Every structure is written in structure tokens, then in C-alpha cells.
Amino acid sequence: MKRLIYIIGVLLLLTACGQQQRAKSVVKDFMETYQKGDVDYLEFSDLDSTKVLTDSLINVLQQQAGKDVTFQKRISSTLLLIRAKYLLDDDTCSTTFYLDPSTMGVVACKQN
């Protein structure tokens, strides 16, 4: 019984780490596509989830990002969020990215 609990714990840990790495990769790809300038990543927050973003708030965040930015369509009421702290042409910036958990596409982002 203890062995089964240990195995389940290890599998959950590995799954969470894999999801964290995938989220970082998605954010880096997104930023590479839309950022103007040299980006040097400083740190990423832990991946978290939220249900508090309404569709109207997501629309506002998408509009603030600009018309040139293409976002993933929201499929789930729960979104994953991750904050990236980075240097952009010698300026320290922080952006929160909201990802769809099933496709790991960026649904919205906001500058902090």
C-alpha cells in the first residue's frame, strides 16, 4: 500500500513538472513571435489555475495586447496562469500569461 501511494505521488510530481515546462515553452514561443526586441528570461512563477477571468475581461486583455497578436480561443472555464519576468532591451518587465489547460495556448496576457 505504501509503495502504491509513493508511485502515485511520484507520477503526480512528474506530471506537474512536465506541465510547468510545457507552459514555459508555450510562453517563450508566444513572446518570440510577438515581442519586438531582445528578450532575456529571468524567472517564471509556478503554474497556477484561476476561474475568475470573465470573457469580457479576457476581451479587454486581448485588445490591450493589440490587433497584431493572435490568441487561442478560450475552451475551458479554468485557465492556467504563469508569470514571466524578463529583460526587454535593458528594461525589466513582467507579464502574466493565461493559458488554456487542454491546448496550452495563450488565451490572454497582461503586463504587470
Side-chain angles (χ1 to χ4, degrees), residues 25 28-29 33-34 42 50 54 72-74 77-78:
S25 177
K28 287 179 180 180
D29 290 344
T33 303
Y34 296 109
L42 300 175
T50 183
T54 62
Q72 172 79 32
K73 188 172 184 175
R74 181 181 190 170
S77 62
T78 301

Side-chain angles (χ1 to χ4, degrees), residues 1 12 22 28 64 67 77 84 86 92 96:
M1 184 65 164
L12 288 173
R22 185 166 176 219
K28 287 179 180 180
Q64 287 177 350
K67 293 184 180 188
S77 62
Y86 54 94
T92 303
T96 302

Side-chain angles (χ1 to χ4, degrees), residues 5-112:
I5 292 173
Y6 176 75
I7 291 171
I8 290 172
V10 169
L11 289 174
L12 288 173
L13 180 63
L14 291 174
T15 302
C17 291
Q19 194 174 31
Q20 175 82 19
Q21 291 303 316
R22 185 166 176 219
K24 285 181 186 180
S25 177
V26 167
V27 166
K28 287 179 180 180
D29 290 344
F30 183 84
M31 288 185 62
E32 184 178 302
T33 303
Y34 296 109
Q35 285 294 343
K36 295 176 175 88
D38 293 327
V39 176
D40 185 23
Y41 298 99
L42 300 175
E43 65 184 23
F44 285 90
S45 70
D46 288 337
L47 195 61
D48 201 357
S49 64
T50 183
K51 289 186 176 189
V52 297
L53 263 69
T54 62
D55 289 336
S56 59
L57 182 54
I58 288 174
N59 288 335
V60 169
L61 293 173
Q62 290 175 343
Q63 290 172 359
Q64 287 177 350
K67 293 184 180 188
D68 297 336
V69 181
T70 305
F71 289 100
Q72 172 79 32
K73 188 172 184 175
R74 181 181 190 170
I75 298 171
S76 172
S77 62
T78 301
L79 296 174
L80 299 177
L81 66 95
I82 189 168
R83 286 180 198 84
K85 187 175 178 182
Y86 54 94
L87 289 175
L88 179 63
D89 296 330
D90 297 329
D91 290 330
T92 303
C93 304
S94 176
T95 302
T96 302
F97 294 89
Y98 299 95
L99 310 171
D100 186 86
S102 60
T103 61
M104 286 292 241
V106 177
V107 174
C109 62
K110 80 171 181 179
Q111 295 286 334
N112 298 328

